[in-house]
Amino acid sequence: MKKRKETGTTDKGIPLLFSIILVFAILGVLVFSVSHKITREMSASAIQNLSETLDLIKATIEAILNKEAEYQKLMAEEIARAEDPEEYIRAYNKNRTMVKLSFIWKGKTEGISNTGEAFSEEGLDFSAGDMVGELFISDSYLNYMGTWAYTMKCPVVKDGQEIATFYVEYVYDSLDRSLPEGFYNKKAMLYIMDAKTKRLVMKPKGMGERNAGHLNLEDFYRANDIQDEELRQEVEECLENGKNVMFYHNIRNKKALNYMWSVNGGTVYLIGYVPIEAIQQEGKTVNQNIFTVVAVMLIAFFLCCILYYFNQKEQNRIRREREKEREIHSIQLAEALQAAQIASNSKTMFLSNMSHDIRTPMNAVLGFTTLLARDAENPDKVREYTKKIAASGQHLLSLINDILDVSKIESGKVVLNVGVFTLNDLVSSVDAIIRPMAKAREQKFHVMVTGIRHETLMGDETRINQVLINLLSNAVKYTQPGGNVWLRMIGQKQRSAQYEHIRIEVEDDGYGMTPEYLEKIFDAFTRAENSTTNKVQGTGLGMAITKNIVELMGGAIDVSSQVDKGSLFRVDLELKIPEGQTDKQFWKEAGISRILAVESDAGACQDIRTWMADEEVTVDIAQGIEEAVHLLQGAAGEKYQMILLDVEGMGEDGIQAAGEIRGAVDAGIPILFLAANDIEEGEGTLQAQQMGVLVKPFFVSAFKAKVLELQEKGGGKEKEAESGNLEGLYFLAAEDNEINAEILSEIISMEGAGCEVVENGKLAVERFAHSRAGEFDAILMDVQMPVMNGYDATRAIRALERQDAKEIPIIAMTANAFAEDEKEALQAGMNVHLAKPIDVELLKQVISQYAKGRE
């Protein structure tokens, strides 16, 4: 049985062996065919290359001859202009190319040369009639130096009459410098032969094995054993007709390609040969590479056979290992399933929280709507209900914005909008939102800015504002009534002169957080849960959004907290410092070059001095009333144009201190009170001329605005507030939702304006196309509408052939609130993009700006 099994294995091996031999035989035939084809193609290519090389050498020699002829003609013209042509010839020194210059007057047979002896045309053979350009060229000859040379003669013409003949002798050795050192690795032979005398007049250096100048064509035939009469006859015919010839012939028992190449119409010839082995060198190299590849393939095949044997031996071990891997994989799948279940539970918990958080304000909206219908006749209750409905709606909108924000961050669609902003605007906008929230909870909100050298910076102000609002609103929410919330902006050591390194600290003394929650505070959908904070509403996305925004800006955020003691968030940012932001001219025009700051806080004093130094304004510091009065009384030569007084630093006697300061200076010098909040307008002292309040922290831009305000008041120029009044305007609105259309119409009519509503973009285009010029002041355009959307409608309106179609303001009002939606609206031709739900005041401001600006 075993023997039969072995026989069967042998029977199977013979066909396999035969198949392998057959495959390699076919491969060998293919390799030989390819090699033979490559050899033929490489030989043909080499012959073509040889022809091109000979043409290049021919062109080089002809260019040299033509240049010599042109130069000789120019010299003939110079000789014609010379007062004494013979003296001109004698004075000319020979060079490496023109070894002899001669001159014969017309009608004479003998003349002079620059070498000093008499010259005649005897010995020069011009009978062949060969020419270079317009000059006759002689047959080649050995000159008095024993060098092969040729002479060209040129008529000397003066005033239209030929007066003499000018001869120049050139040597063939001068051509040697312009010809190649060798070709085909210096295995080729190249001679230059005079066509008439069939003498070899030059052989360029570095080619062949013989010296030129001692052989003629017969010697060439004899040396290379070219005895075929028919071939020699063919060569003679080509020489007579000035044609090229190329033929194969064995040179010293080596096959070679012989050539004879005409130059200057057959005056001279390039003759020589190239061994075939040199021509086919590249083909041999390719063939060797092919055989090398085949050999490598054979070796690789046998190695594969050996590897296959060992591979079969390893299969059992691999199978056992795979079984172990399957067991491990099963365990990993179980763990992944558990993680997926945990994630699903987290999502379920998030949806549960969101359901509760969204339903809570929605329930308030619906509930107060019901109450509003019941108490519609009671104006006080209507105002109360509408206020609560608006508050609930705003809260619901903030929940939706959080969800949309985290979706954009996770999909990578958040893009920073970097621009120039001032810390004053940033702090003011944050203060305007957070301070009322803190005041409503009877909390104290403290703001401090110190150690920052530049107020104007570059960054995404909106995103920085969002980070601050998230951190501060959480601090207010999670701090008990009567607590404290701090916002600090602290300048850190700069890592680069082009960037301001700022640390933002948000601190509170509220409920604090547990160590366990601190580990996951920046995860999405997480929220601190305890009996104290459960009433605080939110998505649990704020901290995740904040961390992503900070990291997107290249910053870092960390947090520390203790339960019942409060929390501290630190954000480190590096913001670029823009160039040329100081306005030194303003302070010169305002007449302010020196001010006095009465401030008890040394750090705040230093910040004021640092910032104003960039504006070239000197700041003197006084840390008390006595010191301030002393400086004011002693400033005889250097008067102050402005006084900054820290009212809070003076305690309860701040107003009295202001009186003392006012008594020590001229009445025309303005005094600004530095205070954390606006001082009540009822204070009698502040009603005086040249006094005002500058809210802390100190910023140059805020100081500048206050100076302008005081100057306007001093000149009796009260700045009129910009009006958002829409009275008398008439609008075309495209809105497919009846409720939204009704609300929009009512809002516009409340402002004393009119509105015509159409249901889709197509109707909006048709209505505007048939309207009178100036009938509509602006178009309010929804985006998602049936028949024709707002983008296409806007493009169609802008394309109308009427002047106002290009000018009328088109305002997008849409629920598409992403940045790419705003970009698409502007690209379609709209002027501005407003996201739904519409902010009425913002709508009034935008309409007023664009509609009245058009007027």
Side-chain angles (χ1 to χ4, degrees):
M1 181 102 178
K2 185 177 180 181
K3 185 175 181 181
R4 186 180 302 169
K5 184 175 181 181
E6 291 176 354
T7 303
T9 304
T10 304
D11 292 341
K12 291 179 181 178
I14 293 175
L16 179 62
L17 179 62
F18 178 76
S19 300
I20 292 173
I21 294 173
L22 180 62
V23 168
F24 275 96
I26 294 172
L27 180 64
V29 172
L30 290 174
V31 169
F32 178 78
S33 301
V34 170
S35 174
H36 187 63
K37 181 180 179 182
I38 290 173
T39 300
R40 291 198 311 272
E41 291 177 353
M42 293 296 287
S43 297
S45 176
I47 292 171
Q48 179 65 27
N49 290 340
L50 175 60
S51 299
E52 292 174 356
T53 302
L54 292 173
D55 285 336
L56 180 60
I57 295 174
K58 167 188 173 181
T60 301
I61 295 174
E62 290 177 347
I64 293 172
L65 293 174
N66 287 324
K67 287 293 181 182
E68 290 174 349
E70 291 294 327
Y71 187 67
Q72 186 170 340
K73 288 165 67 178
L74 291 174
M75 289 186 68
E77 293 175 3
E78 263 190 67
I79 292 170
R81 290 193 295 269
E83 294 181 2
D84 187 353
E86 292 186 1
E87 181 61 27
Y88 179 91
I89 295 296
R90 292 190 187 95
Y92 198 90
N93 295 324
K94 69 177 182 178
N95 55 38
R96 297 173 64 183
T97 303
M98 299 186 297
V99 297
K100 185 177 180 180
L101 277 67
S102 305
F103 181 84
I104 300 177
W105 290 101
K106 185 176 181 181
K108 295 184 179 182
T109 58
E110 190 173 287
I112 56 97
S113 65
N114 65 333
T115 56
E117 73 274 11
F119 172 80
S120 68
E121 194 175 309
E122 293 182 10
L124 298 177
D125 187 359
F126 290 97
S127 61
D130 295 329
M131 301 183 72
V132 176
E134 299 175 356
L135 304 187
F136 286 97
I137 183 172
S138 71
D139 294 339
S140 302
Y141 58 89
L142 279 171
N143 64 8
Y144 69 95
M145 296 183 295
T147 302
W148 284 104
Y150 57 92
T151 295
M152 286 193 286
K153 65 180 180 177
C154 174
V156 179
V157 178
K158 184 174 183 180
D159 298 329
Q161 299 294 324
E162 181 178 341
I163 62 172
T165 305
F166 174 49
Y167 299 83
V168 178
E169 180 180 289
Y170 302 90
V171 292
Y172 279 101
D173 287 345
S174 65
L175 300 177
D176 195 16
R177 296 189 298 273
S178 303
L179 297 182
E181 291 291 332
F183 54 102
Y184 287 100
N185 295 326
K186 297 187 178 181
K187 294 183 178 179
M189 178 177 286
L190 171 67
Y191 290 100
I192 294 180
M193 181 185 76
D194 181 76
K196 184 176 181 181
T197 61
K198 298 183 178 57
R199 289 177 292 195
L200 305 183
V201 296
M202 192 193 75
K203 184 194 78 171
K205 58 187 175 182
M207 296 186 181
E209 302 171 356
R210 293 171 177 259
N211 293 323
H214 305 288
L215 300 173
N216 54 26
L217 184 58
E218 278 299 325
D219 295 330
F220 181 79
Y221 285 157
R222 186 167 49 255
N224 297 312
D225 196 24
I226 301 175
Q227 303 299 331
D228 189 340
E229 289 297 331
E230 292 184 2
L231 178 60
R232 294 175 68 164
Q233 182 62 34
E234 182 182 351
V235 170
E236 289 294 331
E237 291 177 0
C238 289
L239 293 177
E240 290 178 4
N241 298 323
K243 295 182 179 179
N244 302 328
V245 62
M246 193 177 290
F247 56 90
Y248 286 101
H249 185 75
N250 291 340
I251 305 295
R252 296 182 180 84
N253 298 323
K254 293 181 180 179
K255 191 173 182 180
L257 181 62
N258 295 257
Y259 59 85
M260 294 189 180
W261 222 252
S262 170
V263 178
N264 194 38
T267 304
V268 292
Y269 265 81
L270 304 174
I271 71 170
Y273 63 84
V274 181
I276 295 300
E277 63 180 12
I279 294 177
Q280 295 180 345
Q281 184 63 41
E282 295 179 1
K284 288 183 178 179
T285 302
V286 173
N287 289 334
Q288 289 174 358
N289 291 337
I290 292 174
F291 288 123
T292 301
V293 170
V294 172
V296 171
M297 289 174 60
L298 288 173
I299 295 171
F301 172 76
F302 289 114
L303 287 175
C304 288
C305 292
I306 296 172
L307 291 174
Y308 177 77
Y309 170 76
F310 286 106
N311 183 59
Q312 290 295 322
K313 196 173 182 180
E314 291 290 315
Q315 288 301 316
N316 292 332
R317 184 181 62 81
I318 292 173
R319 289 191 188 95
R320 290 192 297 269
E321 290 179 354
R322 286 180 178 174
E323 289 176 359
K324 292 180 181 179
E325 288 177 358
R326 288 192 189 97
E327 293 177 1
I328 296 172
H329 187 59
S330 298
I331 295 172
Q332 291 175 342
L333 286 175
E335 292 175 350
L337 177 61
Q338 185 179 1
Q341 290 173 343
I342 293 172
S344 178
N345 292 337
S346 298
K347 185 179 291 185
T348 302
M349 185 178 298
F350 164 70
L351 292 174
S352 177
N353 290 337
M354 288 304 302
S355 175
H356 171 268
D357 288 347
I358 291 175
R359 287 174 185 274
T360 298
M362 183 59 70
N363 181 63
V365 171
L366 296 176
F368 283 116
T369 304
T370 303
L371 295 176
L372 190 64
R374 187 192 68 186
D375 298 324
E377 305 302 325
N378 189 333
D380 292 335
K381 288 191 175 182
V382 167
R383 280 191 290 269
E384 181 183 352
Y385 295 157
T386 53
K387 187 183 298 183
K388 292 179 179 179
I389 289 173
S392 298
Q394 288 296 330
H395 176 61
L396 182 60
L397 182 61
S398 68
L399 296 177
I400 295 172
N401 284 339
D402 274 353
I403 296 171
L404 294 178
D405 237 0
V406 78
S407 298
K408 285 194 290 182
I409 290 171
E410 289 179 348
S411 63
K413 291 184 179 180
V414 173
V415 179
L416 294 179
N417 184 18
V418 178
V420 177
F421 70 95
T422 64
L423 291 178
N424 176 45
D425 292 339
L426 178 66
V427 173
S428 298
S429 63
V430 171
D431 186 271
I433 296 172
I434 299 301
R435 193 169 295 280
M437 294 172 58
K439 188 174 181 181
R441 291 178 60 83
E442 300 178 354
Q443 298 168 347
K444 293 182 179 179
F445 179 44
H446 310 274
V447 180
M448 183 185 74
V449 178
T450 181
I452 299 175
R453 294 187 56 83
H454 299 86
E455 176 188 347
T456 304
L457 300 168
M458 291 189 69
D460 191 334
E461 182 181 6
T462 302
R463 289 298 178 182
I464 298 174
N465 186 287
Q466 185 179 359
V467 168
L468 294 178
I469 295 297
N470 279 351
L471 295 176
L472 288 167
S473 60
N474 275 353
V476 172
K477 288 178 185 178
Y478 292 99
T479 299
Q480 65 278 5
N484 293 275
V485 176
W486 291 269
L487 169 61
R488 305 185 192 94
M489 290 189 176
I490 306 168
Q492 303 292 301
K493 183 179 179 181
Q494 291 178 267
R495 299 188 180 99
S496 169
Q498 297 178 342
Y499 288 84
E500 186 79 51
H501 184 189
I502 299 176
R503 172 167 291 172
I504 300 172
E505 292 185 350
V506 174
E507 186 177 7
D508 64 72
D509 55 3
Y511 305 127
M513 293 172 280
T514 63
E516 294 77 16
Y517 180 66
L518 283 177
E519 295 179 359
K520 58 180 181 178
I521 183 174
F522 294 116
D523 296 340
F525 315 126
T526 58
R527 213 166 48 175
E529 301 285 347
N530 58 50
S531 59
T532 308
T533 63
N534 274 344
K535 293 183 180 180
V536 179
Q537 296 180 339
T539 58
L541 298 173
M543 288 299 100
I545 293 171
T546 298
K547 184 174 186 294
N548 277 283
I549 291 174
V550 170
E551 291 178 348
L552 187 64
M553 293 188 291
I557 183 171
D558 62 68
V559 59
S560 59
S561 182
Q562 286 185 324
V563 177
D564 296 329
K565 290 187 178 181
S567 304
L568 172 62
F569 287 84
R570 289 190 181 91
V571 176
D572 282 319
L573 294 175
E574 287 195 354
L575 302 173
K576 187 173 178 61
I577 302 168
E579 297 180 0
Q581 294 297 320
T582 58
D583 190 4
K584 301 172 185 177
Q585 189 64 30
F586 168 79
W587 302 103
K588 291 180 181 179
E589 293 176 355
I592 298 176
S593 61
R594 194 179 192 91
I595 64 176
L596 175 64
V598 185
E599 170 68 76
S600 58
D601 186 347
C605 292
Q606 185 58 41
D607 288 338
I608 295 174
R609 177 174 284 170
T610 300
W611 280 352
M612 295 308 296
D614 291 338
E615 309 293 334
E616 295 183 355
V617 176
T618 303
V619 179
D620 291 337
I621 305 297
Q623 295 186 345
I625 295 299
E626 293 181 2
E627 185 179 353
V629 172
H630 176 73
L631 287 173
L632 290 168
Q633 292 175 346
E638 293 284 348
K639 287 188 176 182
Y640 298 107
Q641 295 88 31
M642 183 73 67
I643 297 173
L644 305 179
L645 177 60
D646 179 15
V647 178
E648 295 177 340
M650 304 296 114
E652 297 179 357
D653 299 329
I655 302 301
Q656 181 180 352
E660 294 182 29
I661 295 290
R662 171 54 74 197
V665 297
D666 294 339
I669 297 178
I671 298 178
L672 291 182
F673 297 94
L674 297 174
N677 298 296
D678 290 341
I679 299 177
E680 294 295 331
E681 291 296 331
E683 295 288 350
T685 308
L686 297 184
Q687 301 301 322
Q689 191 76 354
Q690 299 298 317
M691 284 193 177
V693 176
L694 187 61
V695 179
K696 287 184 178 181
F698 176 87
F699 289 109
V700 175
S701 57
F703 183 30
K704 178 180 176 181
K706 187 59 67 175
V707 170
L708 286 172
E709 181 183 333
L710 290 175
Q711 289 178 343
E712 289 171 356
K713 285 183 178 181
K717 302 175 184 175
E718 292 292 343
K719 192 175 181 180
E720 296 182 1
E722 291 185 3
S723 173
N725 185 18
L726 306 180
E727 187 172 355
L729 301 180
Y730 192 64
F731 305 102
L732 174 62
E735 174 61 71
D736 63 318
N737 186 285
E738 294 182 4
I739 296 177
N740 290 344
E742 183 178 353
I743 293 172
L744 180 62
S745 298
E746 288 298 325
I747 291 173
I748 290 177
S749 64
M750 286 169 57
E751 298 298 322
C755 178
E756 180 178 336
V757 181
V758 295
E759 298 178 357
N760 56 60
K762 183 179 180 182
L763 293 176
V765 176
E766 293 174 353
R767 179 65 183 89
F768 180 77
H770 294 91
S771 66
R772 302 185 310 275
E775 180 177 352
F776 296 110
D777 295 289
I779 299 175
L780 309 179
M781 185 73 72
D782 190 14
V783 171
Q784 292 186 352
M785 295 183 293
V787 184
M788 179 183 286
N789 63 44
Y791 300 139
D792 293 338
T794 300
R795 295 187 185 96
I797 290 173
R798 296 300 189 204
L800 292 175
E801 295 183 357
R802 47 188 289 177
Q803 183 62 30
D804 57 348
K806 309 293 187 298
E807 300 172 352
I808 188 167
I810 302 179
I811 301 168
M813 297 191 304
T814 172
N816 300 342
F818 286 158
E820 52 267 29
D821 300 316
E822 180 177 359
K823 182 179 179 181
E824 187 173 0
L826 297 178
Q827 288 177 343
M830 299 182 182
N831 296 87
V832 71
H833 176 278
L834 297 179
K836 293 181 180 179
I838 298 298
D839 185 323
V840 177
E841 292 302 320
L842 181 59
L843 176 61
K844 287 167 57 179
Q845 180 183 346
V846 168
I847 291 177
S848 178
Q849 175 186 350
Y850 281 93
K852 293 190 175 181
R854 183 167 168 244
E855 296 175 7

